[in-house]
Amino acid sequence: MEKGKYISISFVGVLSIPLSKIPALSREFGKELFDNDAGTDTFFGPDGLVIMIPNKIVPMVVINPLKITIKTATADKMNQILSSLIAKLKEEGVDTALSAFGINYEIQYLNLEKESETWLWNRFIKDEIKTTLPENFCNKLNFRINVNEQQSLNISIEPRMGVHDGLFVGVNHHHNVSFKELPPINELETYAKNSCNVVNSVLKELIGEK
């Protein structure tokens, strides 16, 4: 099995008080935010205000009345965008008090020893459920792991679409921590670093990565 590859990391802040008005951030600000002079779109859609690069899943910012989401490829990029966004939202007078937040991950594992559905069965089910049937498969598993009183991990593991020997892992690292406003970037960087360490440790146990 290859070492897990991180596809994306996201910060999701749950707003304490729903926004009565979503800030109309300019396309120019979107270009600056992503350091992309030509290809950044800023628009209102069904999910709220969206800042993204067409045909790319990262980076992306979504602001709606209930939450603020920043999705990027790396923790460093996430922190960089968060820092600029915090300053801009303060300038716009947006109330960014949070009731909770999450740091979320998308990860893939490739080149399993067996096809993914067989691998999942052997790894998590085989020793717990006895069956005489010749072939057994597992398609998707969900886990909830309490890290401490304020943090929990919600983990889904399933076959990687279009890859017979790959896994797709989604992780929501929920933090039941409130803030009067989006905290300083150095504090968020600490949360992100600690989160990465926790997630890597738990997945190493679950997946059995060498």
Side-chain angles (χ1 to χ4, degrees), residues 68-203:
I68 298 169
T69 302
I70 297 97
K71 184 176 183 179
T72 63
T74 67
D76 286 344
K77 189 66 175 177
M78 181 184 74
N79 292 330
Q80 177 190 329
I81 290 174
L82 259 172
S83 180
S84 298
L85 190 61
I86 288 170
K88 184 64 174 178
L89 293 177
K90 280 186 177 180
E91 181 185 309
E92 296 285 328
V94 177
D95 184 352
T96 59
L98 302 181
S99 60
F101 71 93
I103 300 175
N104 303 338
Y105 306 82
E106 294 176 319
I107 307 159
Q108 71 175 8
Y109 293 84
L110 301 178
N111 293 328
L112 305 176
E113 295 81 3
K114 296 181 179 293
E115 290 196 2
S116 53
E117 291 187 340
T118 301
W119 188 94
L120 284 169
W121 175 274
N122 290 345
R123 177 70 182 170
F124 296 103
I125 310 296
K126 182 179 178 181
D127 293 337
E128 304 299 326
I129 299 177
K130 303 303 179 184
T131 174
T132 57
L133 298 175
E135 289 188 294
N136 301 283
F137 307 99
C138 179
N139 184 257
K140 185 174 182 178
L141 290 165
N142 293 303
F143 300 87
R144 181 177 176 83
I145 298 170
N146 289 327
V147 179
N148 54 42
E149 290 184 357
Q150 293 184 319
Q151 298 180 32
S152 60
L153 296 174
N154 300 293
I155 301 171
S156 65
I157 304 176
E158 60 188 297
R160 185 79 167 109
M161 188 178 294
V163 182
H164 75 281
D165 60 350
L167 295 177
F168 176 84
V169 178
V171 181
N172 160 240
H173 188 179
H174 176 73
H175 294 69
N176 190 26
V177 179
S178 61
F179 296 100
K180 292 182 179 179
E181 62 180 5
L182 277 170
I185 192 61
N186 61 327
E187 193 170 342
L188 290 171
E189 286 175 345
T190 299
Y191 274 111
K193 182 178 179 180
N194 291 341
S195 174
C196 286
N197 289 337
V198 168
V199 169
N200 286 337
S201 176
V202 169
L203 289 182

